[in-house]
Amino acid sequence: MERVYNFSAGPAVLPVPVLEKVQRELLSYNGSGMSVMELSHRSELFQNILDDAESLIRELMEIPDNYKVLFLQGGASLQFDMVPMNLANGKKAAYVNTGSWAKKAISEAKKIQGVEVEVIASSEDRNFSYIPEIPTVSSDAAYLHVTTNNTIEGTAMFDVPESAVPVVADMSSNILSSVYDVKKFGLIYAGAQKNIGPAGLTLVIVREDLLGQVEGLPSMLDFKVQAENDSMYNTPPTFAIYVAKLVFEWIKEQGGVAGIEALNRKKAALLYDYIDQSDFFSSPVEPSARSLTNVPFVTNSAEFDKAFVKEAEANGFENLKGHRSVGGMRASLYNAFPIEGVEALIAFMEKFANARKGGEVRV
Ligand SMILES: *Cc1c(COP(=O)(O)O)cnc(C)c1O
């Protein structure tokens, strides 16, 4: 079976060497005669996997010692609730509205009792095609919530806003893709299925002084309880953590996050440069805000868009359909997506455009 070029926005492509290692170790991990799926989470073998995963992510992101690293479940979506539950503590919470996921974070925070949500900046006026100027947050706010990469709209926030209150970031779709200074954040969270590993794992990086502000939270929803139990308050998603550990090792081999970012910039530039010089395809996103990991593009007709997605699929380019809320196409170029796939896509786009311009029906 040939592998396809998988442009999915998530769950997304994983590095082939990681999948091959998973396959080799599937039946008997490290001479145990058991799969990682079958190991007790209290076993030494699994504890070593968890410890390695934590030390690797600390090294890759240069996470300072006064931050906890948590391996949780529930996806980024549960963090939309856990963050206000744990951090708002009767204060106002400031949010930046840069897209569909930010909107969900805002609407969930509003459901948490006692939390007053203030949307201090938004790019909704122009279809979320840019990153808005972020005003100074009043010091009586508990935190400022941002989304560093807007997966659906294809914009990214590369500069972390200076803020007197802790900055909380949903980094689900560009964690480990671009270098960010962890010290500038109070809390970072990310669902794993875009750049880290299998769905079902959620990474949370949280500054210790932000823990334990709210008493009496349900244990599973309390960052302090999860931190005190080193992510093992209950059975953690063991297999997903194991795969994440292998992905972290792979990233380290690629030159760490800086090395991966350089490659991601190259991949994204190839595609944006092609789109910008094309008179057939165009990008709906303001150049200064363009994401490295999610690249939306359109033709001038919904019919061509539809035909493009269909014919691309027939040629081994999968999951190029844009999110249902924005239409068009979207190529997700996460860390594991190979540069040859970008080159092949561009060649296919050129062929498709030329055939359409020449009046042919199919390429
Ligand atoms: C995918 C995504 C989410 C949702 O993640 P789940 O793990 O499915 O809850 C939230 N925020 C961003 C930015 C995303 O890309």
Side-chain angles (χ1 to χ4, degrees):
M1 169 72 198
E2 288 275 322
R3 287 195 38 100
V4 297
Y5 287 126
N6 179 7
F7 293 90
S8 170
V13 57
L14 285 168
V16 170
V18 166
L19 296 175
E20 287 171 342
K21 188 154 194 194
V22 168
Q23 190 176 42
R24 282 198 303 279
E25 295 182 333
L26 192 65
L27 291 183
S28 177
Y29 177 72
N30 210 352
S32 66
M34 288 179 266
S35 165
V36 173
M37 281 181 271
E38 302 166 296
L39 291 177
S40 163
H41 61 297
R42 306 287 175 196
S43 66
E44 196 186 331
L45 274 178
F46 180 73
Q47 186 66 55
N48 290 341
I49 291 171
L50 184 67
D51 293 347
D52 287 352
E54 176 171 343
S55 68
L56 281 159
I57 188 80
R58 282 187 178 278
E59 183 184 341
L60 288 170
M61 292 183 73
E62 297 182 24
I63 301 173
D65 288 343
N66 63 325
Y67 285 73
K68 290 282 187 196
V69 174
L70 306 176
F71 295 94
L72 306 182
Q73 303 187 57
S77 298
L78 187 57
Q79 296 310 310
F80 295 164
D81 299 310
M82 278 179 79
V83 164
M85 283 174 95
N86 282 265
L87 303 191
N89 198 14
K91 292 195 205 163
K92 224 166 46 186
Y95 279 73
V96 179
N97 181 16
T98 47
S100 311
W101 289 118
K103 266 173 106 160
K104 280 204 170 159
I106 291 163
S107 77
E108 287 303 305
K110 284 180 177 166
K111 293 180 188 169
I112 306 300
Q113 236 181 8
V115 180
E116 188 199 329
V117 174
E118 190 185 357
V119 178
I120 61 161
S122 169
S123 53
E124 195 162 15
D125 60 336
R126 278 189 274 138
N127 247 343
F128 298 121
S129 60
Y130 68 105
I131 298 293
E133 219 32 85
I134 299 170
T136 309
V137 183
S138 63
S139 55
D140 60 344
Y143 60 86
L144 166 64
H145 183 283
V146 299
T147 311
T148 53
N149 189 81
N150 299 283
T151 324
I152 292 171
E153 296 80 7
T155 60
M157 185 183 285
F158 296 107
D159 297 317
V160 185
E162 295 296 332
S163 161
V165 304
V167 178
V168 172
D170 177 356
M171 218 178 257
S172 293
S173 51
N174 74 343
I175 192 163
L176 298 168
S177 281
S178 296
V179 176
Y180 282 101
D181 183 356
V182 174
K183 293 191 295 295
K184 292 187 170 170
F185 299 91
L187 187 148
I188 293 168
Y189 63 90
Q193 67 273 24
K194 282 122 192 185
N195 256 326
I196 295 175
L201 169 65
T202 313
L203 187 72
V204 174
I205 300 163
V206 54
R207 217 171 62 207
E208 277 168 359
D209 62 286
L210 299 177
L211 299 171
Q213 300 179 61
V214 180
E215 295 288 323
L217 289 174
S219 302
M220 282 295 286
L221 304 178
D222 189 335
F223 287 133
K224 184 160 183 267
V225 171
Q226 297 285 5
E228 281 170 353
N229 288 278
D230 295 320
S231 306
M232 296 246 253
Y233 173 76
N234 75 327
T235 317
T238 53
F239 194 75
I241 292 169
Y242 156 71
V243 179
K245 186 206 89 152
L246 298 181
V247 171
F248 298 158
E249 285 172 349
W250 177 83
I251 293 174
K252 200 174 153 182
E253 287 164 15
Q254 312 307 305
V257 183
I260 279 279
E261 175 175 346
L263 188 59
N264 287 337
R265 288 196 175 277
K266 221 164 130 183
K267 292 187 305 194
L270 273 179
L271 187 51
Y272 286 121
D273 287 351
Y274 172 73
I275 291 168
D276 285 342
Q277 61 76 50
S278 165
D279 54 8
F280 190 82
F281 296 101
S282 63
S283 160
V285 178
E286 194 172 278
S288 65
R290 287 175 177 177
S291 164
L292 300 181
T293 44
N294 307 97
V295 183
F297 57 95
V298 293
T299 69
N300 62 10
S301 109
E303 218 167 290
F304 281 165
D305 289 352
K306 213 172 144 192
F308 181 86
V309 169
K310 195 167 162 223
E311 289 175 32
E313 197 174 307
N315 284 273
F317 304 96
E318 300 260 350
N319 294 313
L320 278 166
K321 192 170 189 290
H323 190 270
R324 57 188 185 278
S325 64
V326 296
M329 282 74 76
R330 172 179 50 173
S332 294
L333 309 177
Y334 296 122
N335 292 347
F337 192 89
I339 193 159
E340 306 82 67
V342 181
E343 290 161 348
L345 174 66
I346 291 168
F348 178 78
M349 289 167 77
E350 181 67 6
K351 218 169 111 184
F352 183 92
N354 286 337
R356 285 308 185 282
K357 282 184 273 187
E360 282 175 44
V361 179
R362 296 187 64 84
V363 292

